[in-house]
Short mmCIF file of all heavy atoms in Angstrom, two decimals:
data_model
loop_
_atom_site.label_atom_id
_atom_site.label_comp_id
_atom_site.label_asym_id
_atom_site.label_seq_id
_atom_site.Cartn_x
_atom_site.Cartn_y
_atom_site.Cartn_z
N ASN S 607 95.53 119.47 144.29
CA ASN S 607 96.84 119.78 143.70
C ASN S 607 96.75 120.87 142.64
O ASN S 607 97.61 120.95 141.75
CB ASN S 607 97.47 118.52 143.10
CG ASN S 607 97.88 117.53 144.17
OD1 ASN S 607 98.19 117.92 145.29
ND2 ASN S 607 97.86 116.25 143.83
N GLU S 608 95.69 121.67 142.68
CA GLU S 608 95.56 122.87 141.84
C GLU S 608 95.22 122.60 140.38
O GLU S 608 95.41 123.47 139.54
CB GLU S 608 96.80 123.76 141.91
CG GLU S 608 97.05 124.33 143.30
CD GLU S 608 98.25 125.27 143.32
OE1 GLU S 608 98.45 125.99 142.33
OE2 GLU S 608 98.98 125.25 144.32
N ILE S 609 94.74 121.39 140.05
CA ILE S 609 94.28 121.16 138.67
C ILE S 609 92.94 121.88 138.48
O ILE S 609 91.98 121.64 139.21
CB ILE S 609 94.11 119.65 138.37
CG1 ILE S 609 95.44 118.92 138.47
CG2 ILE S 609 93.44 119.44 137.00
CD1 ILE S 609 96.47 119.34 137.43
N LYS S 610 92.91 122.78 137.48
CA LYS S 610 91.69 123.56 137.23
C LYS S 610 91.08 123.30 135.86
O LYS S 610 89.93 123.63 135.59
CB LYS S 610 91.99 125.06 137.35
CG LYS S 610 92.45 125.50 138.73
CD LYS S 610 92.54 127.03 138.80
CE LYS S 610 92.88 127.51 140.19
NZ LYS S 610 94.27 127.19 140.58
N HIS S 611 91.89 122.74 134.95
CA HIS S 611 91.44 122.51 133.57
C HIS S 611 91.89 121.12 133.14
O HIS S 611 93.01 120.71 133.44
CB HIS S 611 92.05 123.54 132.62
CG HIS S 611 91.91 124.94 133.11
ND1 HIS S 611 90.77 125.68 132.89
CD2 HIS S 611 92.74 125.73 133.84
CE1 HIS S 611 90.91 126.87 133.45
NE2 HIS S 611 92.10 126.92 134.03
N VAL S 612 91.00 120.41 132.43
CA VAL S 612 91.31 119.02 132.08
C VAL S 612 91.04 118.77 130.60
O VAL S 612 90.02 119.18 130.06
CB VAL S 612 90.47 118.06 132.96
CG1 VAL S 612 90.49 116.65 132.40
CG2 VAL S 612 90.99 118.07 134.40
N VAL S 613 91.99 118.07 129.96
CA VAL S 613 91.79 117.56 128.60
C VAL S 613 91.38 116.09 128.74
O VAL S 613 92.19 115.26 129.14
CB VAL S 613 93.08 117.65 127.76
CG1 VAL S 613 92.83 117.12 126.36
CG2 VAL S 613 93.63 119.07 127.74
N VAL S 614 90.11 115.79 128.48
CA VAL S 614 89.62 114.42 128.61
C VAL S 614 89.88 113.68 127.30
O VAL S 614 89.55 114.18 126.22
CB VAL S 614 88.10 114.39 128.90
CG1 VAL S 614 87.60 112.95 129.00
CG2 VAL S 614 87.79 115.16 130.17
N ILE S 615 90.46 112.49 127.40
CA ILE S 615 90.63 111.64 126.23
C ILE S 615 89.69 110.44 126.39
O ILE S 615 89.88 109.60 127.28
CB ILE S 615 92.08 111.11 126.10
CG1 ILE S 615 93.11 112.24 126.18
CG2 ILE S 615 92.22 110.28 124.82
CD1 ILE S 615 93.13 113.16 124.99
N ALA S 616 88.67 110.36 125.55
CA ALA S 616 87.74 109.22 125.60
C ALA S 616 88.14 108.22 124.52
O ALA S 616 88.37 108.60 123.37
CB ALA S 616 86.31 109.70 125.38
N ASN S 617 88.23 106.96 124.89
CA ASN S 617 88.66 105.93 123.95
C ASN S 617 87.50 105.39 123.12
O ASN S 617 86.49 104.94 123.66
CB ASN S 617 89.27 104.74 124.70
CG ASN S 617 90.63 105.08 125.27
OD1 ASN S 617 91.54 105.45 124.54
ND2 ASN S 617 90.75 104.97 126.59
N MET S 618 87.66 105.43 121.80
CA MET S 618 86.74 104.73 120.90
C MET S 618 87.51 103.50 120.41
O MET S 618 88.15 103.52 119.37
CB MET S 618 86.35 105.64 119.73
CG MET S 618 85.38 104.99 118.76
SD MET S 618 85.21 105.93 117.24
CE MET S 618 84.11 107.23 117.76
N MET S 619 87.50 102.46 121.22
CA MET S 619 88.26 101.22 121.05
C MET S 619 89.74 101.40 121.46
O MET S 619 90.49 102.11 120.80
CB MET S 619 88.18 100.65 119.63
CG MET S 619 86.79 100.11 119.32
SD MET S 619 86.60 99.50 117.62
CE MET S 619 87.76 98.14 117.59
N THR S 620 90.09 100.75 122.56
CA THR S 620 91.48 100.81 123.03
C THR S 620 92.34 99.81 122.25
O THR S 620 91.84 98.84 121.68
CB THR S 620 91.55 100.48 124.53
OG1 THR S 620 90.90 99.22 124.76
CG2 THR S 620 90.85 101.55 125.36
N THR S 621 93.63 100.07 122.25
CA THR S 621 94.58 99.27 121.45
C THR S 621 94.63 97.82 121.90
O THR S 621 94.70 96.91 121.08
CB THR S 621 95.99 99.89 121.58
OG1 THR S 621 95.87 101.30 121.47
CG2 THR S 621 96.91 99.37 120.52
N MET S 622 94.58 97.59 123.22
CA MET S 622 94.75 96.21 123.71
C MET S 622 93.42 95.47 123.84
O MET S 622 93.37 94.26 123.70
CB MET S 622 95.48 96.26 125.07
CG MET S 622 96.00 94.92 125.54
SD MET S 622 97.22 94.21 124.39
CE MET S 622 96.99 92.45 124.69
N PHE S 623 92.32 96.19 124.10
CA PHE S 623 91.05 95.52 124.40
C PHE S 623 89.92 95.84 123.43
O PHE S 623 88.92 95.13 123.40
CB PHE S 623 90.61 95.85 125.83
CG PHE S 623 91.54 95.29 126.88
CD1 PHE S 623 92.58 96.05 127.39
CD2 PHE S 623 91.38 93.98 127.32
CE1 PHE S 623 93.45 95.51 128.33
CE2 PHE S 623 92.25 93.44 128.26
CZ PHE S 623 93.28 94.21 128.76
#
Side-chain angles (χ1 to χ4, degrees):
N607 291 332
E608 296 183 37
I609 297 295
K610 297 188 175 70
H611 311 276
V612 166
V613 181
V614 178
I615 308 290
N617 288 302
M618 180 192 281
M619 290 177 64
T620 54
T621 317
M622 193 61 208
F623 294 94

